[in-house]
Amino acid sequence: MDRLHDEHYVRAVTRMGDERAVVTNQPIFTRNRIKLVNQGARVDSALFDRLVAHKLIPRIDECLDVENGITRQVLRDDARKLLDDDPALAVLRADPGLLGRTLRAIDEIPLTPPIAFKLTVAASQRPEVYNHSLRVTLVALHLAVKSFFLSQKELTNLAAAALLHDIGILHIPPDLLRPGRRLQKSERHHLYAHPISGYLILRQYAEYHPEISRTVFEHHERLDGSGYPRGLKGGEISRDAQILMLAEVANTVFESSPQSQNLAKLSVLLRLNHKKFNRDLGNRLIALVAAMQSGHREDDDHSTAFANLSRLPPRLDELAHVFSDWSETFRTFSQSTKNAATSLISLVIDERLAELRRTLSDAGFDLDQVEAVADAVSEDPEALVELDILIGETRWQLTDIIHEAYRRMSDALNDSAGMPLPPPILGWLERSETRLSQYPRYS
Ligand SMILES: [Fe+2]
Ligand SMILES: [Fe+2]
């Protein structure tokens, strides 16, 4: 757990101490049993340098009390407020039976004092993480109640995992996750580590281990093995993690704009990702978002899509180019390489791209005929909106494939010390990444 005692988290804790009373409930020592802080002392930014310089005993979450901390009552009130204030979530409270089970599950989430403390740090210093987690919890519970016959205890476990799924993010440098910030290759490992950090935090407490901790560990895995941290596949991934994944997808869609495109975005996203997510849960989510969106006006979507019309041909060309560049690279590379680990990576990329190409062609989007595609939609507002979203999602998919390749490459490098990256593959990854970074998502 030492790796979790990091500067970013200590910074967040001491900053919280500047805003409200954070007081030690026991003395804090260094590993060498030197007393650093007395019991009953107030902890704020003035203590940051002292706390961050040592490994602390006990752990920082275990020796601090905070004024107005998160309790189950606060969680329930915050969930209720989110349901009342956010029009997109209104449908979640329409069914009184379902609402009752949802709130009860939240009400029963086990909260050990150290985890309650951590949630208080999240709510006060990283409110976007706290609110995201609550929204994921509400959507996950809805999907679970509608899709499975679960006991109240099972729902409570799911609620706890959903609430705590991103708790490891509190240990990532907050700057990295600023909206609009593109992560550099060297920074991505911070992000990939957060399910592991979350697992390590929860593993310490019998209330969360092993079920809830496992769900948190697996929430970025994908059914086709393209996820992280372990690249698990299909049934290796727990039911609750499969629910969480889709609740996250829903939130990604809710958080992007314009809202009136949510349903179209979600269905494109699930169609392109049909190998990654549980199909029944995906359909359930579509039904939920359709209900959330019923009655919205579509005129705004159409005008946005027409405004993007002139950029369609270059965006389509660019996508087609990423694929054709790969075909050429793969052909040359597979003739020359003898290395098993890098061949495997190139086969994975090839398979993922072939799958994506197939899905796109099933959706009526033929990459060899981009001009015809652009012409066909230019007069049809519905088709234009859909193509606009499809392009955005395809770019996102390609970026995911590139990131997966880099992850697999660094794993392979760790296994066979010092093996150089194969230049042709690396070249394609870099060229494609640059190409795809030229337009923001949903531009
Ligand atoms: Fe998340
Ligand atoms: Fe996450």
Side-chain angles (χ1 to χ4, degrees), residues 318-319 321-322 325 395 428 430-439:
E318 204 184 44
L319 286 185
H321 208 107
V322 172
D325 185 5
R395 301 167 61 81
W428 178 82
E430 282 170 356
R431 284 194 300 281
S432 305
E433 218 177 2
T434 310
R435 217 167 246 145
L436 294 167
S437 64
Q438 285 174 18
Y439 300 95

Side-chain angles (χ1 to χ4, degrees), residues 222-410:
R222 298 290 179 253
L223 299 187
D224 63 355
S226 65
Y228 61 89
R230 289 186 56 205
L232 298 176
K233 280 187 171 172
E236 295 170 339
I237 305 169
S238 65
R239 176 200 63 211
D240 282 6
Q242 295 190 30
I243 297 173
L244 268 197
M245 287 174 210
L246 277 158
E248 291 256 50
V249 167
N251 276 278
T252 310
V253 169
F254 297 159
E255 283 157 15
S256 55
S257 57
Q259 253 208 325
S260 55
Q261 285 188 6
N262 280 354
L263 184 58
K265 264 184 230 160
L266 181 68
S267 45
V268 168
L269 199 150
L270 290 179
R271 211 185 313 157
L272 289 189
N273 287 291
H274 67 284
K275 293 245 160 124
K276 297 189 179 186
F277 300 110
N278 179 303
R279 182 180 298 255
D280 293 342
L281 287 167
N283 289 339
R284 179 63 63 196
L285 191 56
I286 296 258
L288 173 65
V289 174
M292 283 172 168
Q293 213 178 294
S294 59
H296 91 273
R297 285 162 48 83
E298 291 181 343
D299 307 0
D300 291 350
D301 305 7
H302 296 166
S303 56
T304 314
F306 277 118
N308 283 338
L309 185 57
S310 65
R311 285 191 293 167
L312 262 186
R315 292 170 77 213
L316 284 166
D317 270 351
E318 204 184 44
L319 286 185
H321 208 107
V322 172
F323 282 88
S324 59
D325 185 5
W326 171 256
S327 305
E328 183 59 26
T329 306
F330 183 59
R331 201 172 48 78
T332 325
F333 174 71
S334 41
Q335 284 162 1
S336 63
T337 189
K338 302 273 181 301
N339 184 298
T342 50
S343 301
L344 181 67
I345 294 165
S346 67
L347 284 173
V348 169
I349 299 176
D350 196 55
E351 192 186 305
R352 302 262 188 259
L353 289 177
E355 179 62 37
L356 183 54
R357 186 185 265 275
R358 261 196 303 278
T359 312
L360 288 171
S361 122
D362 289 348
F365 177 13
D366 186 346
L367 281 164
D368 298 323
Q369 318 247 346
V370 290
E371 273 176 30
V373 172
D375 278 354
V377 299
S378 61
E379 309 267 291
D380 177 351
E382 298 287 335
L384 194 54
V385 169
E386 176 156 327
L387 183 62
D388 196 38
I389 294 170
L390 192 67
I391 292 174
E393 282 311 324
T394 304
R395 301 167 61 81
W396 201 246
Q397 283 286 299
L398 288 168
T399 308
D400 259 5
I401 293 171
I402 292 168
H403 290 178
E404 184 192 357
Y406 278 127
R407 262 202 319 276
R408 284 177 180 264
M409 243 174 218
S410 71

Side-chain angles (χ1 to χ4, degrees), residues 132 165-167 169 191 194-195 216 219-220 228 248:
H132 163 80
H165 77 278
D166 275 340
I167 207 156
I169 280 184
L191 191 64
H194 84 273
V216 169
H219 80 274
H220 282 286
Y228 61 89
E248 291 256 50

Side-chain angles (χ1 to χ4, degrees), residues 118-256:
K118 224 177 229 319
L119 281 171
T120 311
V121 176
S124 104
Q125 303 302 303
R126 307 285 298 275
E128 72 291 353
V129 174
Y130 176 74
N131 287 325
H132 163 80
S133 302
L134 264 184
R135 293 173 68 109
V136 167
T137 306
L138 293 169
V139 176
L141 286 170
H142 177 96
L143 287 177
V145 172
K146 291 281 195 182
S147 311
F148 302 100
F149 291 103
L150 298 187
S151 66
Q152 193 61 36
K153 167 77 177 142
E154 287 173 311
L155 279 183
T156 299
N157 275 352
L158 174 65
L163 182 69
L164 300 171
H165 77 278
D166 275 340
I167 207 156
I169 280 184
L170 299 180
H171 297 267
I172 295 179
D175 257 15
L176 295 188
L177 299 176
R178 251 198 345 259
R181 165 91 144 75
R182 284 182 70 82
L183 282 185
Q184 301 300 310
K185 238 177 293 169
S186 57
E187 296 169 333
R188 273 184 225 133
H189 70 274
H190 286 292
L191 191 64
Y192 298 149
H194 84 273
I196 305 174
S197 312
Y199 172 81
L200 292 174
I201 291 162
L202 297 173
R203 183 180 70 166
Q204 303 169 93
Y205 309 102
E207 289 85 344
Y208 309 108
H209 190 66
E211 284 102 349
I212 296 166
S213 54
R214 175 184 172 190
T215 309
V216 169
F217 185 87
E218 293 174 355
H219 80 274
H220 282 286
E221 299 288 359
R222 298 290 179 253
L223 299 187
D224 63 355
S226 65
Y228 61 89
R230 289 186 56 205
L232 298 176
K233 280 187 171 172
E236 295 170 339
I237 305 169
S238 65
R239 176 200 63 211
D240 282 6
Q242 295 190 30
I243 297 173
L244 268 197
M245 287 174 210
L246 277 158
E248 291 256 50
V249 167
N251 276 278
T252 310
V253 169
F254 297 159
E255 283 157 15
S256 55

